[in-house]
């Protein structure tokens, strides 16, 4: 056996590759290099990274006498672009060379169904807070609509949502789920971020409807633009943990930007507030009981108040039970009453 000759001159740093190149905070990825100098003794290999795109560089571990790829690297905080390079040094010549650089970006996970395809299972329409988006099927089962259409909402207010499946009146029934990244951290797993879910699959053109109430601003609910994700599954209910991978073989995901602003000032409430329809006139007309109660709860009442269910009211827009908290100003005199409007005959089913 003849020992290798010492290295000499300036080594070659090679080419760096990162896989995958993006992912959610906390996910894992790997970093590799090819084409670096391997001939000669006295070579060392040092991985370095930067979160600024350049100097200063931080050593990942210590220099080694043989090359080793990086595996199981943890994705940094949301929005961070981490740049990697390999520094190859010849100790005999005291010369070093940097590899090319590769980057990993911490962003939202790209969701997928277990069998992505344009199979007929998809989200045909989304209507919510300024969005009215009718679309077809896509082979990837995922689309990020950026920058438009987008939603604009206010903290403390409730907004009706309507979702329609693709397919026909007898094929490809879908269930739906909605997430909002309230704290802007790039994941949808935080408490309260799974904001809407259906319990029954619907065929097109029947819509699944409900209401989403935006919480008050806080350390976990931030103002500004963030991401809303809508998922559908063929027949199967969408669960809170399905924001990256669908629980069903078939379905679709759509992402939208949503801008959250501070709460609106309290309106002047009418003594009779009409409930039903698709529009909102703060203080006098709301599409759902949920929306009216949300406004009343963040404000107050100063008179006996009736929530009058008009002929357009449809309880399928509600998520039951509707909890009515203690409302400021309410008393034995300033009561809150819920009843059908004059001339409206209620239809009660499912009892």
């Amino acid at each position: 056996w003849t020992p290798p000759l010492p290295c000499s001159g300036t080594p070659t740093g090679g080419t760096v590759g990162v896989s995958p190149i993006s992912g959610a905070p906390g996910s894992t990825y790997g970093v590799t290099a090819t084409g670096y100098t391997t001939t000669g003794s006295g070579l060392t290999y040092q991985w370095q990274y930067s979160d600024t795109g350049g100097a200063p560089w931080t050593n990942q571990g210590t220099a080694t006498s043989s090359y080793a790829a990086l595996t199981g690297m943890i994705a940094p905080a949301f929005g961070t672009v981490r740049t990697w390079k390999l520094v190859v040094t010849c100790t005999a010549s005291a010369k070093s060379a940097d590899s090319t650089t590769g980057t990993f970006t911490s962003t939202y996970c790209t969701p997928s169904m277990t069998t992505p395809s344009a199979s007929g299972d998809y989200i045909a329409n989304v209507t919510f807070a300024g969005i009215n988006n009718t679309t077809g099927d896509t082979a990837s089962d995922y689309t990020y609509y950026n920058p438009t259409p987008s939603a604009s909402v206010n903290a403390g207010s409730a907004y009706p949502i309507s979702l329609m499946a693709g397919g026909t009146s007898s094929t490809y029934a879908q269930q739906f789920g909605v997430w909002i990244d309230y704290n802007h951290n790039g994941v949808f797993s935080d408490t309260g971020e799974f904001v809407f879910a259906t319990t029954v699959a619907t065929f097109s053109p029947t819509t699944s409807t409900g209401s989403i109430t935006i919480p008050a601003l806080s350390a976990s609910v931030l103002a500004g633009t963030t991401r809303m994700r809508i998922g559908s599954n063929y027949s199967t209910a969408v669960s809170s943990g399905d924001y990256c991978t669908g629980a069903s073989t078939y379905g679709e995901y759509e992402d939208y930007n949503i801008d959250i602003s501070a709460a609106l000032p309290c309106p002047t409430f009418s003594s009779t507030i009409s409930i039903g329809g698709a529009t909102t006139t703060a203080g006098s007309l709301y599409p759902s009981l949920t929306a009216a109660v949300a406004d009343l709860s963040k404000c107050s009442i100063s008179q006996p108040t009736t929530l009058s269910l008009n002929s357009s009211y449809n309880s399928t827009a509600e998520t039951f039970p509707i909890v009515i908290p203690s409302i400021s100003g309410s008393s034995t005199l300033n009561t809150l009453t819920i009843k059908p409007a004059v001339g409206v005959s209620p239809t009660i089913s499912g009892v």
Side-chain angles (χ1 to χ4, degrees):
W1 174 79
T2 303
L5 296 173
C7 60
S8 61
T10 302
T12 299
T15 302
V16 162
V18 178
S19 180
I21 61 173
S22 65
S27 63
T28 59
Y29 64 99
V31 186
T32 59
T34 58
Y36 49 84
T37 297
T38 59
T39 303
S41 63
L43 291 166
T44 63
Y45 305 88
Q46 175 67 64
W47 284 108
Q48 293 184 336
Y49 68 88
S50 167
D51 291 341
T52 63
W57 292 89
T58 301
N59 287 340
Q60 175 67 35
T62 58
T64 57
S65 59
S66 59
Y67 164 82
L70 297 176
T71 59
M73 305 310 297
I74 304 300
F78 177 66
T80 301
V81 179
R82 179 155 291 179
T83 302
W84 288 94
K85 70 177 181 179
L86 180 68
V87 181
V88 181
T89 301
C90 174
T91 54
S93 64
K95 292 183 177 181
S96 298
D98 292 349
S99 67
T100 64
T101 58
T103 60
F104 178 89
T105 302
S106 284
T107 185
Y108 292 96
C109 63
T110 299
S112 65
M113 306 309 297
T114 55
T115 307
S117 65
S119 60
D121 295 271
Y122 65 98
I123 303 166
N125 179 266
V126 174
T127 301
F128 173 76
I131 298 170
N132 187 354
N133 194 30
T134 299
T135 57
D137 205 352
T138 60
S140 67
D141 288 336
Y142 171 67
T143 304
Y144 173 29
Y145 293 96
N146 179 42
T148 59
S150 62
S152 295
V153 297
N154 291 92
S157 295
Y159 298 86
I161 186 169
S162 170
L163 302 168
M164 186 171 70
T168 71
S169 60
S170 60
T171 60
Y172 309 124
Q174 302 290 301
Q175 293 217 50
F176 302 96
V178 181
W179 299 261
I180 298 176
D181 180 18
Y182 281 131
N183 61 358
H184 302 198
N185 70 344
V187 296
F188 296 103
S189 57
D190 298 301
T191 301
E193 293 191 337
F194 187 50
V195 297
F196 176 77
T198 58
T199 57
V200 177
T202 52
F203 295 99
S204 180
T206 301
T207 56
S208 294
T209 58
S211 181
I212 296 174
T213 299
I214 308 301
L217 296 182
S218 65
S220 57
V221 180
L222 305 178
T225 300
T226 187
R227 189 79 66 94
M228 177 174 72
R229 175 162 294 173
I230 301 173
S232 77
N233 281 338
Y234 169 65
S235 184
T236 308
V238 178
S239 300
S240 60
D242 295 340
Y243 52 87
C244 283
T245 303
S248 171
T249 303
Y250 306 108
E252 188 182 36
Y253 287 94
E254 294 183 355
D255 277 9
Y256 296 89
N257 293 327
I258 177 171
D259 184 62
I260 302 175
S261 298
L264 294 170
C266 288
T268 300
F269 290 103
S270 301
S271 59
T272 299
I273 300 172
S274 185
I275 308 296
T279 60
T280 297
T281 302
S284 61
L285 173 63
Y286 294 88
S288 65
L289 284 170
T290 301
V293 168
D295 255 13
L296 288 165
S297 299
K298 71 180 182 181
C299 300
S300 64
I301 59 175
S302 58
Q303 60 189 339
T305 301
T306 299
L307 302 182
S308 178
L309 308 181
N310 64 36
S311 59
S312 297
Y313 176 72
N314 189 336
S315 64
T316 60
E318 312 282 10
T319 300
F320 292 100
I322 299 172
V323 178
I324 301 177
S326 177
I327 297 174
S328 177
S330 60
S331 66
T332 55
L333 294 177
N334 294 338
T335 56
L336 184 66
T337 304
I338 303 172
K339 66 179 184 180
V342 175
V344 175
S345 299
T347 300
I348 301 174
S349 62
V351 177

